[in-house]
Amino acid sequence: MKTTVARCFLSPRTSWHAWRLVRASYGNLSFDAAWRHARVRLYPDETPHWQHGHRPDSTSDR
């Protein structure tokens, strides 16, 4: 199952907000980035999980 379909099915409210952000950006924002932004805005308690996924991996330089 594609990530977009799973996100729409499991979290329709977040997906709706993400779709609106993508439309407002006139294609300058991907659905994935918009979804993460909407998710953190709607559910601020998930911010640490979001930040963990976007930290640079220091071991990848080796």
Side-chain angles (χ1 to χ4, degrees):
M1 181 183 297
K2 290 198 172 239
T3 306
T4 303
V5 175
R7 285 179 172 171
C8 291
F9 179 71
L10 296 174
S11 186
R13 181 177 178 213
T14 303
S15 298
W16 173 254
H17 284 276
W19 179 78
R20 289 179 60 205
L21 286 171
V22 171
R23 298 255 315 171
S25 74
Y26 297 105
N28 293 324
L29 185 65
S30 70
F31 181 79
D32 187 47
W35 195 91
R36 289 190 310 263
H37 180 76
R39 188 71 184 180
V40 171
R41 189 168 20 148
L42 291 170
Y43 304 99
D45 58 316
E46 293 186 7
T47 302
H49 301 291
W50 175 77
Q51 289 173 342
H52 178 71
H54 294 280
R55 289 188 183 143
D57 185 14
S58 60
T59 59
S60 64
D61 296 339
R62 295 180 191 172

